[in-house]
Amino acid sequence: MHCTFNSEYGYFGMPSVESIREYLPEDQMDVASDGFRFHVNRHGIMEKGQAGRLKSMEAIDLLYGGSASMPLDKLVDVSQLLQAEAIKAATEQARRRKYSSGGSMFWMFADAWGEVGWSVVDHYMRKKAAYEYVRRACAPVLVSVKEEECGLSTWIVNDTLRPLSGTLGLKLMSFDGSVRSAKLCKVHVRPNCSTCCFMERMSLMRSGEFYLAMFRWDDGSRTAENIFFFMNFRSLKMPKAVLAVSVVER
């Protein structure tokens, strides 16, 4: 998007299962039921007249895969994740283009009733995953990673009226937690501006890795960070998570 003011954009995300139970009886808690479809925003269904598949399901199959075999709670989680990533990407792009882009307003904040829609807070005031993603993407100091033709660029957007000085750390990491490569560089960012701080040439065909960018203020008081995935979630090769639990008595 290279408009001077992006006044409306959005992406569908399902509300939480708890919220769906607020407006649907138990026998309608299925995406194929008449009740569920009745509570889908009319723009969220593939064809006019509320016919066809839900666009949320189409997006899941395209970017994550396997919607047909997912229980409702899994559909909700993946739908919210895709919505969060979409709004985050659009918001960060607008902020990197500071002054070339004069504003960015996603649609929308809250729902008028219980539905599958664009909101980041549902009708029952439960936050979707996109709420936190938007909060971070709109922080006064933003670290953002942009895909380039031959690699990645890392930007710092400083909306404060003070200059920033600190250290930018860049890591190429595997999903098992190992660090493939790491760089540190000192950066200085002018007040109220967007600055490309680093360019790195690399292959973007990386299904088993991600890119971590972190800016730390010189006084050590704060950090700002961001993660860049090289592919959509369907193509990422993540190992199975290993969970460890410990109980601490107080």
Side-chain angles (χ1 to χ4, degrees):
M1 296 179 293
H2 294 290
C3 52
T4 54
F5 190 98
N6 191 8
S7 60
E8 184 177 337
Y9 61 93
Y11 202 85
F12 287 97
M14 295 183 184
S16 68
V17 174
E18 292 78 10
S19 291
I20 296 174
R21 286 200 173 96
E22 298 266 12
Y23 63 82
L24 283 183
E26 197 65 32
D27 64 354
Q28 295 291 300
M29 295 282 290
D30 185 281
V31 294
S33 72
D34 291 338
F36 196 99
R37 293 175 65 86
F38 183 75
H39 283 267
V40 175
N41 185 290
R42 68 185 182 89
H43 295 289
I45 294 182
M46 295 298 291
E47 302 171 23
K48 292 182 179 179
Q50 300 295 84
R53 296 189 76 206
L54 274 63
K55 289 182 180 177
S56 294
M57 305 290 281
E58 292 287 319
I60 290 172
D61 282 338
L62 177 65
L63 300 171
Y64 193 95
S67 69
S69 61
M70 290 182 187
L72 182 58
D73 58 345
K74 177 71 171 180
L75 287 171
V76 166
D77 288 345
V78 176
S79 171
Q80 289 196 13
L81 175 62
L82 296 181
Q83 179 195 32
E85 287 285 346
I87 300 177
K88 168 184 180 287
T91 303
E92 288 188 10
Q93 183 184 37
R95 293 198 62 196
R96 287 194 303 265
R97 299 180 61 248
K98 188 179 178 78
Y99 296 121
S100 294
S101 172
S104 176
M105 294 195 305
F106 69 90
W107 182 267
M108 59 188 207
F109 184 76
D111 288 319
W113 74 321
E115 68 164 350
V116 177
W118 286 293
S119 73
V120 299
V121 177
D122 70 30
H123 178 63
Y124 304 95
M125 301 306 292
R126 293 186 176 98
K127 300 171 184 176
K128 299 180 185 178
Y131 179 93
E132 182 64 20
Y133 278 54
V134 169
R135 186 187 70 81
R136 294 178 182 179
C138 293
V141 176
L142 170 71
V143 177
S144 181
V145 180
K146 179 175 180 282
E147 180 179 331
E148 303 286 358
E149 186 175 347
C150 57
L152 299 175
S153 59
T154 302
W155 298 64
I156 294 180
V157 183
N158 179 16
D159 279 356
T160 76
L161 300 182
R162 296 181 178 180
L164 295 176
S165 294
T167 302
L168 180 63
L170 304 168
K171 293 181 180 179
L172 177 65
M173 299 188 65
S174 170
F175 287 114
D176 64 9
S178 59
V179 178
R180 303 298 192 191
S181 64
K183 295 177 177 64
L184 289 175
C185 54
K186 295 290 293 182
V187 295
H188 305 279
V189 182
R190 292 182 293 108
N192 204 23
C193 74
S194 173
T195 303
C196 179
C197 297
F198 195 83
M199 290 279 296
E200 186 165 2
R201 297 180 65 90
M202 64 167 60
S203 166
L204 299 177
M205 300 298 291
R206 296 177 181 273
S207 59
E209 297 168 329
F210 64 94
Y211 197 75
L212 172 65
M214 177 182 292
F215 174 72
R216 183 181 297 275
W217 275 249
D218 271 341
D219 62 8
S221 61
R222 288 175 289 171
T223 60
E225 65 180 59
N226 212 329
I227 290 175
F228 177 86
F229 296 111
F230 293 91
M231 297 183 175
N232 61 45
F233 291 105
R234 183 173 188 168
S235 302
L236 295 178
K237 296 179 180 177
M238 296 185 181
K240 289 187 177 181
V242 178
L243 300 179
V245 178
S246 61
V247 178
V248 179
E249 295 185 3
R250 296 184 181 275

